[in-house]
Amino acid sequence: AQTVTQSQPEMSVQEAETVTLSCTYDTSESDYYLFWYKQPPSRQMILVIRQEAYKQQNATENRFSVNFQKAAKSFSLKISDSQLGDAAMYFCAYRPSTNAGNNRKLIWGLGTSLAVNP
Amino acid sequence: EPEVTQTPSHQVTQMGQEVILRCVPISNHLYFYWYRQILGQKVEFLVSFYNNEISEKSEIFDDQFSVERPDGSNFTLKIRSTKLEDSAMYFCASGTRWSGEQFFGPGTRLTVL
């Protein structure tokens, strides 16, 4: 069964500094998607970044970047120049790359609560 | 920018009552999902819907739950007889055939008393 593990329940970072959130996953699939979602106190689920497993290049979105290590099944999120608005719960999620109607659900980690200190 | 919308934002109901949670997915999306998140716990998949039928459901999605796309724009989740443990945040999401990501609505917070 596919699983996603986030081993850091809570993290904190000083404003303007860099923080890395860890995620590992387990799958026997060779092609899949990985995502980081942000959930602020409003509880809205916001997509931060996505990575396709077939792409060797790590995805980046402004201050957010990932370190995707396919062999190690690791997918960490780096937030640079942290801002107070980055404080939120961050979820790592996995989905097989399939165009079938089924097996498209997201499988989620437990989340990491990130605090940003001024 | 198109977005997924959900109503109501908060629903309070008595145990045993029926509730219907409503979602309007992004208009050109073909895949629809319901997830739930019990406070402080992980996000759990409930059901996916494609081509006017359920394509996948979890063990949580028992006979008390049903989904419907009644009019080509709305996508609803019905809980027939709510239990205390159904209290959670319910998220609707939609996606296209070819892209990997799912776009989430703002959620409906369901409180069962």
Side-chain angles (χ1 to χ4, degrees):
Chain A
Q2 295 130 351
T3 57
V4 176
T5 302
Q6 292 179 253
S7 58
Q8 306 152 316
E10 296 177 349
M11 294 278 286
S12 65
V13 63
Q14 288 297 124
E15 197 175 1
E17 306 226 321
T18 295
V19 64
T20 298
L21 309 184
S22 302
C23 172
T24 59
Y25 58 94
D26 190 24
T27 182
S28 57
E29 303 284 335
S30 60
D31 201 13
Y32 45 86
Y33 298 97
L34 294 162
F35 307 93
W36 280 98
Y37 281 89
K38 171 185 177 182
Q39 188 179 41
S42 66
R43 301 195 74 186
Q44 168 93 47
M45 202 65 80
I46 303 164
L47 178 66
V48 174
I49 200 165
R50 78 173 217 177
Q51 174 82 41
E52 289 101 324
Y54 71 88
K55 290 186 177 177
Q56 292 185 340
Q57 188 171 10
N58 289 324
T60 62
E61 285 288 340
N62 301 314
R63 298 183 294 106
F64 298 87
S65 61
V66 297
N67 183 5
F68 173 50
Q69 302 286 329
K70 191 172 184 180
K73 296 181 182 171
S74 169
F75 182 61
S76 60
L77 175 70
K78 185 169 89 171
I79 306 174
S80 304
D81 186 26
S82 297
Q83 300 175 359
L84 294 177
D86 295 334
M89 196 75 165
Y90 286 82
F91 290 96
C92 179
Y94 160 98
R95 206 211 86 182
S97 177
T98 172
N99 291 322
N102 58 358
N103 201 23
R104 296 173 69 99
K105 63 180 181 288
L106 290 171
I107 297 165
W108 300 78
L110 287 175
T112 296
S113 178
L114 178 66
V116 180
N117 303 315
Chain B
E1 188 172 324
E3 57 183 22
V4 177
T5 59
Q6 288 185 244
T7 53
S9 57
H10 189 191
Q11 172 107 37
V12 181
T13 190
Q14 296 291 325
M15 190 170 59
Q17 295 296 303
E18 174 183 287
V19 294
I20 297 176
L21 310 184
R22 291 184 166 79
C23 169
V24 179
I26 295 172
S27 63
N28 64 339
H29 287 186
L30 299 177
Y31 294 85
F32 314 112
Y33 309 84
W34 284 102
Y35 294 85
R36 80 173 185 190
Q37 184 185 30
I38 295 171
L39 187 64
Q41 297 187 25
K42 74 188 301 181
V43 181
E44 300 173 296
F45 167 76
L46 291 177
V47 65
S48 60
F49 193 86
Y50 169 70
N51 201 25
N52 285 319
E53 60 182 26
I54 290 173
S55 49
E56 191 176 3
K57 61 182 181 179
S58 72
E59 56 274 11
I60 302 168
F61 195 88
D62 61 20
D63 292 344
Q64 294 298 315
F65 292 87
S66 62
V67 289
E68 198 176 38
R69 189 158 159 80
D71 57 12
S73 62
N74 290 282
F75 178 51
T76 61
L77 174 69
K78 183 194 290 186
I79 309 175
R80 233 178 304 279
S81 177
T82 49
K83 305 179 195 124
L84 295 175
E85 54 264 37
D86 293 328
S87 294
M89 196 78 169
Y90 288 80
F91 292 101
C92 172
S94 68
T96 65
R97 180 174 177 81
W98 302 112
S99 75
E101 60 259 47
Q102 296 173 15
F103 296 88
F104 282 75
T108 292
R109 183 178 165 195
L110 177 65
T111 302
V112 182
L113 302 175

Coordinates of all heavy atoms in Angstrom, one line a residue, chain B residues 20-105:
Chain B
I20 N -26.8 17.7 3.5 CA -26.3 17.8 2.1 C -25.2 18.9 2.0 O -25.5 20.0 2.3 CB -27.4 18.0 1.1 CG1 -28.4 16.9 1.2 CG2 -26.8 18.1 -0.3 CD1 -29.6 17.0 0.3
L21 N -24.0 18.5 1.7 CA -22.9 19.4 1.5 C -22.8 19.7 0.0 O -22.8 18.7 -0.8 CB -21.6 18.9 2.0 CG -21.7 18.4 3.5 CD1 -20.3 18.0 4.0 CD2 -22.3 19.4 4.4
R22 N -22.7 20.9 -0.4 CA -22.7 21.3 -1.8 C -21.4 21.8 -2.3 O -20.7 22.5 -1.6 CB -23.8 22.3 -2.1 CG -25.2 21.7 -2.0 CD -26.3 22.7 -2.3 NE -27.6 22.0 -2.5 CZ -28.3 21.6 -1.5 NH1 -28.0 21.8 -0.2 NH2 -29.4 20.9 -1.7
C23 N -21.1 21.5 -3.5 CA -19.8 21.9 -4.1 C -20.1 22.3 -5.6 O -20.9 21.7 -6.3 CB -18.8 20.8 -4.1 SG -17.3 20.9 -5.0
V24 N -19.4 23.4 -6.0 CA -19.4 23.7 -7.5 C -18.0 23.6 -7.9 O -17.1 24.4 -7.6 CB -19.9 25.1 -7.8 CG1 -19.9 25.4 -9.3 CG2 -21.4 25.2 -7.3
P25 N -17.6 22.5 -8.7 CA -16.2 22.3 -9.1 C -15.9 23.3 -10.2 O -16.8 24.0 -10.8 CB -16.3 20.9 -9.7 CG -17.5 20.3 -9.2 CD -18.5 21.4 -9.0
I26 N -14.6 23.4 -10.6 CA -14.2 24.2 -11.7 C -14.8 23.7 -13.0 O -14.8 22.4 -13.2 CB -12.7 24.3 -11.8 CG1 -12.2 25.0 -10.5 CG2 -12.2 24.9 -13.1 CD1 -10.7 24.9 -10.3
S27 N -15.3 24.6 -13.9 CA -16.3 24.2 -14.9 C -15.7 23.2 -15.9 O -16.5 22.4 -16.4 CB -16.8 25.4 -15.6 OG -15.7 26.1 -16.3
N28 N -14.5 23.2 -16.3 CA -14.0 22.2 -17.3 C -13.4 21.0 -16.7 O -12.8 20.2 -17.4 CB -13.1 22.9 -18.3 CG -11.8 23.4 -17.6 OD1 -11.8 23.5 -16.4 ND2 -10.7 23.6 -18.3
H29 N -13.5 20.8 -15.4 CA -13.0 19.6 -14.7 C -13.9 18.4 -14.9 O -15.1 18.6 -14.9 CB -12.6 19.9 -13.3 CG -11.5 20.8 -13.1 ND1 -10.9 21.1 -11.9 CD2 -10.7 21.4 -14.0 CE1 -9.9 21.9 -12.0 NE2 -9.7 22.1 -13.3
L30 N -13.3 17.2 -14.9 CA -14.1 16.0 -15.1 C -14.1 15.1 -13.9 O -14.9 14.2 -13.8 CB -13.6 15.3 -16.3 CG -13.6 16.0 -17.7 CD1 -13.0 15.2 -18.8 CD2 -15.1 16.4 -18.0
Y31 N -13.1 15.3 -13.0 CA -13.0 14.4 -11.9 C -13.3 15.2 -10.6 O -12.8 16.3 -10.4 CB -11.5 13.9 -11.8 CG -11.2 13.0 -13.0 CD1 -10.7 13.5 -14.1 CD2 -11.3 11.6 -12.8 CE1 -10.4 12.7 -15.2 CE2 -11.0 10.8 -13.9 CZ -10.5 11.3 -15.1 OH -10.2 10.5 -16.1
F32 N -14.0 14.5 -9.7 CA -14.5 15.2 -8.5 C -14.3 14.3 -7.3 O -14.4 13.1 -7.4 CB -16.0 15.6 -8.6 CG -16.3 16.2 -10.0 CD1 -17.1 15.5 -10.9 CD2 -15.8 17.4 -10.3 CE1 -17.4 16.1 -12.1 CE2 -16.1 18.0 -11.5 CZ -16.9 17.3 -12.4
Y33 N -14.0 15.0 -6.2 CA -13.6 14.2 -5.0 C -14.2 14.8 -3.8 O -14.4 16.0 -3.7 CB -12.0 14.3 -4.9 CG -11.3 13.9 -6.1 CD1 -11.0 14.8 -7.1 CD2 -10.8 12.6 -6.3 CE1 -10.3 14.5 -8.2 CE2 -10.1 12.2 -7.4 CZ -9.8 13.2 -8.4 OH -9.1 12.8 -9.5
W34 N -14.4 14.0 -2.8 CA -14.7 14.5 -1.4 C -13.6 13.9 -0.5 O -13.3 12.6 -0.6 CB -16.1 14.0 -1.0 CG -17.2 14.9 -1.5 CD1 -18.0 14.5 -2.6 CD2 -17.6 16.2 -1.1 NE1 -18.9 15.5 -2.8 CE2 -18.7 16.6 -2.0 CE3 -17.2 17.1 -0.1 CZ2 -19.3 17.8 -1.8 CZ3 -17.8 18.3 0.0 CH2 -18.9 18.6 -0.8
Y35 N -13.1 14.7 0.4 CA -12.2 14.3 1.4 C -12.7 14.9 2.7 O -13.5 15.8 2.7 CB -10.8 14.9 1.2 CG -10.0 14.4 0.0 CD1 -10.2 15.0 -1.2 CD2 -9.1 13.4 0.1 CE1 -9.5 14.6 -2.4 CE2 -8.4 13.0 -1.0 CZ -8.6 13.6 -2.2 OH -7.9 13.1 -3.3
R36 N -12.3 14.3 3.8 CA -12.7 14.9 5.1 C -11.4 14.9 6.0 O -10.5 14.1 5.9 CB -13.8 14.1 5.8 CG -13.4 12.9 6.5 CD -14.6 12.3 7.2 NE -14.2 11.1 8.0 CZ -15.0 10.3 8.6 NH1 -16.3 10.5 8.6 NH2 -14.5 9.3 9.3
Q37 N -11.5 15.9 6.9 CA -10.4 16.0 7.9 C -11.0 16.3 9.3 O -11.6 17.3 9.5 CB -9.5 17.2 7.5 CG -8.3 17.4 8.4 CD -7.6 18.7 8.0 OE1 -8.1 19.7 7.5 NE2 -6.3 18.6 8.2
I38 N -10.9 15.2 10.1 CA -11.3 15.4 11.5 C -10.3 16.3 12.2 O -9.1 16.2 11.9 CB -11.5 14.0 12.2 CG1 -12.6 13.2 11.5 CG2 -11.7 14.2 13.7 CD1 -12.7 11.8 11.9
L39 N -10.8 17.2 13.0 CA -9.9 18.2 13.6 C -8.6 17.6 14.2 O -8.7 16.7 15.0 CB -10.6 18.9 14.7 CG -9.9 20.2 15.3 CD1 -9.7 21.2 14.2 CD2 -10.7 20.7 16.5
G40 N -7.5 18.1 13.7 CA -6.2 17.7 14.2 C -5.7 16.3 13.7 O -4.7 15.8 14.1
Q41 N -6.5 15.8 12.7 CA -6.1 14.5 12.2 C -5.8 14.6 10.7 O -5.9 15.7 10.1 CB -7.2 13.5 12.4 CG -7.4 13.2 13.9 CD -8.3 12.1 14.2 OE1 -8.5 11.2 13.4 NE2 -9.0 12.1 15.3
K42 N -5.4 13.5 10.1 CA -5.0 13.5 8.7 C -6.2 13.7 7.8 O -7.4 13.5 8.1 CB -4.2 12.3 8.3 CG -5.0 11.1 8.2 CD -4.1 9.8 8.0 CE -3.2 9.9 6.8 NZ -2.4 8.6 6.7
V43 N -5.9 14.1 6.6 CA -7.0 14.2 5.5 C -7.3 12.8 5.0 O -6.3 12.0 4.7 CB -6.5 15.1 4.4 CG1 -7.5 15.3 3.3 CG2 -6.0 16.5 4.9
E44 N -8.5 12.5 4.9 CA -8.9 11.1 4.5 C -9.8 11.2 3.2 O -10.7 12.1 3.1 CB -9.8 10.5 5.5 CG -9.1 10.3 6.9 CD -10.1 9.8 7.9 OE1 -11.1 10.5 8.3 OE2 -9.9 8.7 8.4
F45 N -9.5 10.4 2.2 CA -10.3 10.3 1.0 C -11.6 9.6 1.3 O -11.7 8.6 2.0 CB -9.5 9.5 0.0 CG -10.2 9.0 -1.2 CD1 -10.5 9.9 -2.2 CD2 -10.6 7.7 -1.3 CE1 -11.2 9.5 -3.3 CE2 -11.3 7.3 -2.4 CZ -11.6 8.1 -3.4
L46 N -12.7 10.2 0.7 CA -14.0 9.6 0.8 C -14.4 8.9 -0.5 O -14.7 7.7 -0.5 CB -15.0 10.6 1.2 CG -14.9 11.2 2.6 CD1 -16.0 12.3 2.8 CD2 -15.1 10.1 3.7
V47 N -14.4 9.7 -1.6 CA -15.0 9.2 -2.8 C -14.5 10.0 -4.0 O -14.1 11.2 -3.8 CB -16.5 9.2 -2.7 CG1 -17.0 10.7 -2.6 CG2 -17.2 8.5 -3.8
S48 N -14.4 9.3 -5.1 CA -14.1 10.1 -6.4 C -15.2 9.8 -7.4 O -15.8 8.7 -7.3 CB -12.7 9.7 -7.0 OG -12.7 8.3 -7.2
F49 N -15.4 10.7 -8.3 CA -16.6 10.6 -9.2 C -16.2 11.1 -10.5 O -15.5 12.1 -10.7 CB -17.6 11.6 -8.6 CG -19.0 11.5 -9.2 CD1 -19.9 10.6 -8.6 CD2 -19.4 12.3 -10.2 CE1 -21.2 10.5 -9.2 CE2 -20.7 12.3 -10.7 CZ -21.6 11.3 -10.2
Y50 N -16.5 10.2 -11.5 CA -16.1 10.6 -12.9 C -17.2 10.0 -13.8 O -17.7 8.9 -13.6 CB -14.7 9.9 -13.2 CG -14.4 10.0 -14.7 CD1 -14.1 11.2 -15.3 CD2 -14.3 8.8 -15.4 CE1 -13.7 11.2 -16.6 CE2 -14.0 8.8 -16.8 CZ -13.7 10.0 -17.4 OH -13.3 10.1 -18.7
N51 N -17.5 10.7 -14.8 CA -18.5 10.3 -15.9 C -19.8 9.8 -15.2 O -20.3 8.8 -15.6 CB -17.8 9.1 -16.6 CG -18.5 8.9 -18.0 OD1 -19.1 9.8 -18.6 ND2 -18.4 7.7 -18.5
N52 N -20.2 10.6 -14.3 CA -21.5 10.4 -13.6 C -21.6 9.2 -12.8 O -22.7 8.7 -12.6 CB -22.7 10.5 -14.6 CG -22.9 11.9 -15.1 OD1 -22.9 12.8 -14.3 ND2 -23.2 12.1 -16.3
E53 N -20.5 8.7 -12.3 CA -20.6 7.5 -11.4 C -19.4 7.5 -10.5 O -18.3 8.2 -10.8 CB -20.7 6.2 -12.2 CG -19.5 5.9 -13.1 CD -19.7 4.6 -13.9 OE1 -20.8 4.2 -14.1 OE2 -18.7 4.0 -14.2
I54 N -19.5 6.8 -9.4 CA -18.4 6.7 -8.4 C -17.3 5.9 -9.1 O -17.6 4.8 -9.6 CB -18.9 6.1 -7.1 CG1 -19.8 7.0 -6.4 CG2 -17.7 5.7 -6.2 CD1 -20.5 6.4 -5.1
S55 N -16.1 6.4 -9.1 CA -15.0 5.6 -9.6 C -14.2 4.9 -8.5 O -13.5 3.9 -8.8 CB -14.1 6.5 -10.5 OG -13.7 7.7 -9.8
E56 N -14.2 5.5 -7.3 CA -13.5 4.9 -6.2 C -14.1 5.4 -4.9 O -14.5 6.5 -4.9 CB -12.0 5.2 -6.3 CG -11.1 4.5 -5.4 CD -9.6 4.8 -5.5 OE1 -9.3 5.6 -6.4 OE2 -8.8 4.1 -4.8
K57 N -14.1 4.5 -3.9 CA -14.6 5.0 -2.6 C -13.8 4.3 -1.5 O -13.3 3.2 -1.7 CB -16.1 4.8 -2.4 CG -16.5 3.3 -2.5 CD -18.0 3.2 -2.4 CE -18.4 1.7 -2.4 NZ -19.9 1.6 -2.3
S58 N -13.7 4.9 -0.4 CA -13.0 4.4 0.7 C -13.9 3.6 1.6 O -15.1 3.6 1.5 CB -12.3 5.5 1.5 OG -13.2 6.2 2.3
E59 N -13.3 2.9 2.6 CA -14.1 2.1 3.5 C -15.0 3.0 4.4 O -16.0 2.6 5.0 CB -13.3 1.2 4.4 CG -12.1 1.9 5.1 CD -10.9 2.1 4.3 OE1 -10.9 1.9 3.1 OE2 -9.9 2.4 5.0
I60 N -14.6 4.3 4.5 CA -15.4 5.3 5.3 C -16.7 5.5 4.6 O -17.8 5.7 5.3 CB -14.6 6.6 5.4 CG1 -13.3 6.4 6.1 CG2 -15.5 7.6 6.2 CD1 -12.4 7.7 6.0
F61 N -16.7 5.5 3.3 CA -17.9 5.8 2.5 C -18.8 4.7 2.5 O -18.9 3.9 1.5 CB -17.4 6.2 1.1 CG -18.5 6.9 0.3 CD1 -18.6 8.3 0.3 CD2 -19.3 6.2 -0.6 CE1 -19.5 8.9 -0.5 CE2 -20.3 6.8 -1.4 CZ -20.4 8.2 -1.3
D62 N -19.6 4.5 3.6 CA -20.5 3.4 3.7 C -21.9 3.8 3.2 O -22.1 4.9 2.5 CB -20.6 2.9 5.1 CG -21.0 4.0 6.1 OD1 -21.7 5.0 5.7 OD2 -20.7 3.8 7.3
D63 N -22.9 3.1 3.5 CA -24.3 3.3 3.0 C -24.9 4.6 3.5 O -25.9 5.0 2.9 CB -25.2 2.1 3.3 CG -24.8 0.8 2.6 OD1 -24.0 1.0 1.6 OD2 -25.2 -0.2 3.0
Q64 N -24.3 5.2 4.5 CA -24.8 6.5 5.0 C -24.5 7.6 4.0 O -25.0 8.7 4.1 CB -24.3 6.8 6.4 CG -24.7 5.8 7.4 CD -26.2 5.8 7.6 OE1 -26.8 6.9 7.7 NE2 -26.8 4.7 7.7
F65 N -23.5 7.4 3.2 CA -23.0 8.5 2.3 C -23.5 8.2 0.9 O -23.6 7.1 0.4 CB -21.5 8.5 2.3 CG -20.8 8.9 3.6 CD1 -20.6 8.0 4.6 CD2 -20.5 10.2 3.8 CE1 -20.0 8.4 5.8 CE2 -19.9 10.6 5.0 CZ -19.6 9.7 6.0
S66 N -23.7 9.3 0.2 CA -24.0 9.2 -1.2 C -23.5 10.5 -1.9 O -23.4 11.6 -1.2 CB -25.5 9.0 -1.5 OG -26.3 10.1 -1.1
V67 N -23.2 10.4 -3.2 CA -22.8 11.6 -3.9 C -23.7 11.7 -5.2 O -24.2 10.7 -5.7 CB -21.3 11.6 -4.4 CG1 -20.5 11.8 -3.2 CG2 -21.0 10.3 -5.1
E68 N -23.8 12.9 -5.7 CA -24.7 13.2 -6.8 C -24.2 14.4 -7.6 O -23.6 15.3 -7.0 CB -26.1 13.4 -6.3 CG -27.1 13.2 -7.4 CD -28.5 13.4 -6.8 OE1 -28.7 14.3 -5.9 OE2 -29.4 12.7 -7.2
R69 N -24.4 14.4 -8.9 CA -24.1 15.6 -9.7 C -25.4 15.9 -10.4 O -25.6 15.5 -11.5 CB -23.0 15.3 -10.7 CG -22.5 16.5 -11.4 CD -21.1 16.2 -11.9 NE -20.7 17.1 -13.0 CZ -20.3 18.4 -12.9 NH1 -20.2 18.9 -11.7 NH2 -20.0 19.1 -13.9
P70 N -26.3 16.6 -9.7 CA -27.7 16.6 -10.1 C -27.9 17.5 -11.4 O -28.9 17.2 -12.1 CB -28.4 17.3 -8.9 CG -27.3 18.0 -8.2 CD -26.1 17.3 -8.4
D71 N -27.1 18.5 -11.7 CA -27.4 19.4 -12.7 C -26.2 19.8 -13.6 O -26.3 20.8 -14.3 CB -28.1 20.6 -12.1 CG -27.2 21.3 -11.1 OD1 -26.0 20.9 -11.1 OD2 -27.6 22.2 -10.4
G72 N -25.2 19.1 -13.6 CA -24.0 19.4 -14.4 C -23.1 20.4 -13.9 O -22.0 20.7 -14.4
S73 N -23.5 21.1 -12.8 CA -22.5 22.0 -12.2 C -22.3 21.7 -10.7 O -21.2 21.7 -10.2 CB -23.0 23.4 -12.3 OG -24.2 23.6 -11.7
N74 N -23.4 21.4 -9.9 CA -23.2 21.0 -8.5 C -22.7 19.6 -8.3 O -23.0 18.7 -9.1 CB -24.5 21.3 -7.8 CG -24.9 22.7 -7.7 OD1 -24.4 23.4 -6.9 ND2 -25.8 23.2 -8.6
F75 N -22.0 19.4 -7.2 CA -21.6 18.1 -6.9 C -21.9 18.0 -5.4 O -21.3 18.8 -4.6 CB -20.1 17.9 -7.2 CG -19.5 16.6 -6.8 CD1 -20.1 15.4 -7.2 CD2 -18.3 16.5 -6.1 CE1 -19.5 14.2 -6.8 CE2 -17.7 15.3 -5.7 CZ -18.3 14.1 -6.1
T76 N -22.7 17.1 -5.0 CA -23.2 17.1 -3.6 C -22.8 15.8 -2.8 O -22.6 14.7 -3.4 CB -24.7 17.2 -3.5 OG1 -25.3 16.1 -4.1 CG2 -25.2 18.5 -4.1
L77 N -22.6 15.9 -1.6 CA -22.3 14.8 -0.7 C -23.5 14.8 0.4 O -23.7 15.8 1.0 CB -21.0 15.0 0.1 CG -20.7 14.0 1.2 CD1 -20.4 12.6 0.5 CD2 -19.4 14.4 2.0
K78 N -24.2 13.7 0.4 CA -25.2 13.5 1.4 C -24.8 12.5 2.5 O -24.3 11.5 2.1 CB -26.5 13.1 0.7 CG -27.7 13.0 1.6 CD -28.9 12.2 1.0 CE -29.6 12.9 -0.1 NZ -30.8 12.2 -0.5
I79 N -25.1 12.9 3.7 CA -24.9 12.0 4.8 C -26.3 11.8 5.3 O -27.0 12.7 5.8 CB -24.0 12.5 5.9 CG1 -22.7 13.0 5.3 CG2 -23.7 11.4 6.9 CD1 -21.7 13.7 6.3
R80 N -26.8 10.5 5.3 CA -28.2 10.2 5.5 C -28.6 10.4 7.0 O -29.6 11.0 7.3 CB -28.5 8.8 5.1 CG -29.7 8.7 4.1 CD -29.9 7.3 3.7 NE -28.7 6.7 3.1 CZ -28.4 6.9 1.8 NH1 -29.1 7.6 1.0 NH2 -27.3 6.3 1.3
S81 N -27.8 9.9 7.9 CA -28.1 9.9 9.3 C -26.8 10.2 10.0 O -26.0 9.3 10.3 CB -28.7 8.6 9.7 OG -29.0 8.5 11.1
T82 N -26.6 11.4 10.4 CA -25.3 11.8 10.9 C -25.0 11.3 12.2 O -25.9 11.1 13.1 CB -25.2 13.4 10.9 OG1 -26.3 13.9 11.6 CG2 -25.1 14.0 9.5
K83 N -23.7 11.0 12.5 CA -23.2 10.5 13.8 C -22.3 11.5 14.3 O -21.8 12.4 13.6 CB -22.5 9.2 13.6 CG -23.3 8.1 12.9 CD -22.4 6.8 12.8 CE -23.0 5.9 11.8 NZ -22.2 5.5 10.7
L84 N -22.0 11.5 15.6 CA -21.1 12.4 16.2 C -19.8 12.4 15.5 O -19.1 13.4 15.3 CB -20.9 12.1 17.7 CG -22.2 12.3 18.6 CD1 -21.9 11.8 20.0 CD2 -22.6 13.7 18.6
E85 N -19.3 11.2 15.2 CA -18.0 11.0 14.6 C -17.9 11.6 13.1 O -16.9 11.6 12.5 CB -17.5 9.6 14.6 CG -18.5 8.6 14.0 CD -19.4 7.9 15.1 OE1 -19.8 8.6 16.0 OE2 -19.7 6.7 14.9
D86 N -19.0 12.0 12.6 CA -19.0 12.6 11.3 C -18.6 14.1 11.3 O -18.4 14.8 10.3 CB -20.4 12.6 10.6 CG -20.8 11.1 10.2 OD1 -19.9 10.3 9.9 OD2 -22.0 10.8 10.3
S87 N -18.5 14.6 12.6 CA -18.0 16.0 12.7 C -16.6 16.1 12.2 O -15.7 15.4 12.6 CB -18.0 16.4 14.2 OG -19.3 16.4 14.7
A88 N -16.4 17.0 11.2 CA -15.2 17.1 10.5 C -15.3 18.3 9.5 O -16.3 18.9 9.3 CB -14.8 15.9 9.7
M89 N -14.1 18.6 8.9 CA -14.1 19.5 7.8 C -14.2 18.6 6.5 O -13.5 17.7 6.4 CB -12.8 20.2 7.8 CG -12.7 21.5 6.9 SD -13.6 22.8 7.7 CE -13.1 24.2 6.7
Y90 N -15.1 19.0 5.6 CA -15.3 18.2 4.4 C -14.9 19.1 3.2 O -15.3 20.2 3.0 CB -16.8 17.8 4.2 CG -17.2 16.7 5.2 CD1 -17.5 17.0 6.5 CD2 -17.2 15.4 4.8 CE1 -17.8 16.0 7.4 CE2 -17.6 14.4 5.6 CZ -17.9 14.7 6.9 OH -18.2 13.7 7.8
F91 N -13.9 18.6 2.4 CA -13.4 19.3 1.3 C -13.8 18.6 0.0 O -13.8 17.4 -0.2 CB -11.9 19.2 1.3 CG -11.3 20.1 2.4 CD1 -10.8 19.4 3.6 CD2 -11.1 21.4 2.3 CE1 -10.2 20.2 4.6 CE2 -10.6 22.2 3.3 CZ -10.1 21.6 4.5
C92 N -14.3 19.4 -0.9 CA -14.5 19.0 -2.3 C -13.3 19.4 -3.1 O -12.7 20.5 -2.9 CB -15.8 19.7 -2.8 SG -16.1 19.5 -4.5
A93 N -12.9 18.6 -4.1 CA -11.8 18.9 -5.0 C -12.2 18.5 -6.4 O -13.1 17.6 -6.6 CB -10.6 18.2 -4.6
S94 N -11.6 19.1 -7.4 CA -11.8 18.7 -8.8 C -10.5 18.8 -9.5 O -9.5 19.4 -9.1 CB -12.9 19.6 -9.4 OG -12.4 21.0 -9.6
G95 N -10.5 18.0 -10.6 CA -9.3 18.0 -11.4 C -9.6 17.6 -12.9 O -10.7 17.2 -13.2
T96 N -8.6 17.9 -13.7 CA -8.8 17.5 -15.2 C -8.3 16.1 -15.4 O -7.7 15.5 -14.6 CB -8.0 18.5 -16.1 OG1 -6.6 18.3 -15.8 CG2 -8.4 19.9 -15.7
R97 N -8.5 15.7 -16.6 CA -8.1 14.3 -17.0 C -6.5 14.2 -17.0 O -6.0 13.2 -16.6 CB -8.6 14.0 -18.4 CG -8.2 12.6 -18.9 CD -8.9 12.2 -20.2 NE -8.5 11.0 -20.7 CZ -8.9 9.8 -20.3 NH1 -9.8 9.7 -19.4 NH2 -8.5 8.7 -20.8
W98 N -5.9 15.3 -17.4 CA -4.4 15.1 -17.7 C -3.5 15.7 -16.6 O -2.4 15.4 -16.6 CB -4.1 15.8 -19.1 CG -4.9 15.1 -20.1 CD1 -5.9 15.7 -20.9 CD2 -4.8 13.8 -20.6 NE1 -6.4 14.8 -21.8 CE2 -5.8 13.6 -21.6 CE3 -4.0 12.7 -20.3 CZ2 -5.9 12.4 -22.3 CZ3 -4.2 11.5 -21.0 CH2 -5.1 11.4 -22.0
S99 N -4.0 16.7 -15.8 CA -3.1 17.2 -14.9 C -3.2 16.4 -13.6 O -4.2 15.8 -13.3 CB -3.5 18.7 -14.6 OG -4.7 18.7 -13.8
G100 N -2.1 16.5 -12.8 CA -2.1 15.7 -11.6 C -2.8 16.3 -10.4 O -3.3 15.6 -9.6
E101 N -2.8 17.7 -10.4 CA -3.2 18.3 -9.1 C -4.7 18.3 -9.0 O -5.5 18.2 -10.0 CB -2.7 19.7 -9.0 CG -3.1 20.7 -10.0 CD -2.0 20.9 -11.0 OE1 -1.4 19.8 -11.5 OE2 -1.7 22.0 -11.4
Q102 N -5.2 18.4 -7.8 CA -6.6 18.6 -7.5 C -6.7 19.9 -6.8 O -5.9 20.3 -5.9 CB -7.1 17.4 -6.5 CG -7.0 16.1 -7.2 CD -7.3 14.9 -6.3 OE1 -7.8 15.1 -5.2 NE2 -7.0 13.7 -6.8
F103 N -7.8 20.6 -7.2 CA -8.0 22.0 -6.7 C -9.1 21.9 -5.6 O -10.2 21.3 -5.9 CB -8.4 22.9 -7.8 CG -7.3 23.1 -8.8 CD1 -7.1 22.2 -9.9 CD2 -6.4 24.1 -8.6 CE1 -6.1 22.4 -10.8 CE2 -5.3 24.3 -9.5 CZ -5.2 23.4 -10.6
F104 N -8.9 22.4 -4.5 CA -9.7 22.3 -3.4 C -10.6 23.5 -3.1 O -10.2 24.6 -3.3 CB -8.9 22.0 -2.1 CG -8.4 20.6 -2.0 CD1 -7.3 20.2 -2.8 CD2 -9.0 19.7 -1.2 CE1 -6.9 18.9 -2.7 CE2 -8.6 18.4 -1.1 CZ -7.5 18.0 -1.9
G105 N -11.8 23.2 -2.7 CA -12.7 24.2 -2.2 C -12.3 24.6 -0.8 O -11.4 24.0 -0.2

